[in-house]
Amino acid sequence: MTKRRSIISVDEDSINKLQVMYLLRALRRFMSLKDLANIIGLDETLISKYIHGVILPGPRRAKELLITLSNSDLVNKLLVETVRGMINAALRVYPDILNLASLDIDLINYYVLNLIKKLNGIEATKIITVEGGGLLISGLIASYTSLDLVYCLRDKYIPNSLIEYIRGENPAYSNFLSLPMVFSKNDRAIIVDDIIITGTTVKTLYMLARRAHVKISAIVTLIINERIIKKLKGEVNSEIIYELII
């Protein structure tokens, strides 16, 4: 997974192997090794080795395991209920904001790797994000793609930065974003946030990027509010890549 001529190139075989490990780890919290063995048809000892990263499946087996797990109604139900439960729990604590850093890290890795597959072939040199959950997701994407990571701060002035005031977001959370000016004229970027509920944060990041004369290839998020997708597409001239809809 390397950055070459600003085109994101993804080694899907390697990603599939890691996804098997992360998904089995997440499922193991709710299922016994015996249950997992019944679903995927492998020995419990071998499954345990995959979970602990002692060994990873080969390319063919990894792809087959992901297909088998994704076709399991039980697995899909567990994943949906787990993500929904974590989101609801986070919103009860922080009703105005949601930070995916509170979610299961194995599930986050699994879904981020799905996002990275979708980024294959996208032209980009940098990731633009904001401190918080967006930084967690962006850091993972940067580590797998070798893109440079640039993050904005909330309500803090940075020397030689651009400032954009946030419109429509809870003012108790943040009033403005500061974007460091670390771009060249040939830079292209993707904007990454962990979750898009109203689109306010990513639209602010988009405006900052345009002011910095950086072309945005895509807006990337793990979770997006279904009602905002069409509206956001009408306001930004970039592809929107997401994994889950709420």
Side-chain angles (χ1 to χ4, degrees), residues 157-195:
Y157 292 99
I158 307 171
N160 302 317
S161 69
L162 291 176
I163 301 295
E164 187 73 36
Y165 283 87
I166 299 173
R167 301 170 181 85
E169 191 169 282
N170 182 358
Y173 184 37
S174 57
N175 293 298
F176 65 86
L177 299 182
S178 299
L179 175 67
M181 287 299 294
V182 291
F183 305 97
S184 68
K185 65 178 182 179
N186 296 320
D187 273 331
R188 295 183 70 97
I190 59 173
I191 290 174
V192 177
D193 203 5
D194 54 349
I195 183 166

Side-chain angles (χ1 to χ4, degrees), residues 133-144:
L135 187 55
L136 169 64
I137 305 303
S138 299
L140 291 172
I141 293 176
S143 68
Y144 287 114

Side-chain angles (χ1 to χ4, degrees), residues 47-231:
I47 294 173
S48 179
K49 290 181 179 180
Y50 287 165
I51 289 172
H52 292 93
V54 176
I55 59 172
L56 293 176
R60 181 177 177 180
R61 174 169 282 180
K63 187 173 182 178
E64 290 173 348
L65 288 174
L66 288 176
I67 292 172
T68 299
L69 290 166
S70 65
N71 288 335
S72 168
D73 291 336
L74 177 59
V75 169
N76 285 321
K77 183 179 179 181
L78 278 172
L79 291 178
V80 170
E81 290 182 351
T82 299
V83 172
R84 183 180 295 140
M86 289 177 174
I87 290 174
N88 289 338
L91 287 174
R92 282 195 297 271
V93 178
Y94 304 104
D96 297 312
I97 59 172
L98 176 58
N99 187 328
L100 283 192
S102 62
L103 303 190
D104 184 306
I105 190 61
D106 290 316
L107 277 183
I108 289 177
N109 272 290
Y110 169 73
Y111 286 124
V112 166
L113 288 170
N114 269 343
L115 283 177
I116 290 172
K117 290 178 183 178
K118 296 175 183 179
L119 289 173
N120 193 41
I122 294 287
E123 186 177 359
T125 53
K126 286 181 170 61
I127 298 170
I128 298 175
T129 190
V130 65
E131 60 178 329
L135 187 55
L136 169 64
I137 305 303
S138 299
L140 291 172
I141 293 176
S143 68
Y144 287 114
T145 62
S146 299
L147 295 178
D148 297 329
L149 179 57
V150 182
Y151 67 93
C152 294
L153 295 181
R154 294 182 181 269
D155 295 340
K156 293 180 181 178
Y157 292 99
I158 307 171
N160 302 317
S161 69
L162 291 176
I163 301 295
E164 187 73 36
Y165 283 87
I166 299 173
R167 301 170 181 85
E169 191 169 282
N170 182 358
Y173 184 37
S174 57
N175 293 298
F176 65 86
L177 299 182
S178 299
L179 175 67
M181 287 299 294
V182 291
F183 305 97
S184 68
K185 65 178 182 179
N186 296 320
D187 273 331
R188 295 183 70 97
I190 59 173
I191 290 174
V192 177
D193 203 5
D194 54 349
I195 183 166
I196 298 176
I197 298 294
T198 65
T200 301
T201 299
V202 293
K203 284 186 287 186
T204 304
L205 292 172
Y206 184 82
M207 287 187 286
L208 280 167
R210 294 298 299 270
R211 287 175 56 198
H213 305 291
V214 177
K215 294 182 179 179
I216 300 300
S217 300
I219 291 175
V220 183
T221 185
L222 269 188
I223 300 176
I224 191 168
N225 185 336
E226 185 175 15
R227 292 176 296 178
I228 203 66
I229 297 174
K230 185 176 181 180
K231 181 180 179 182

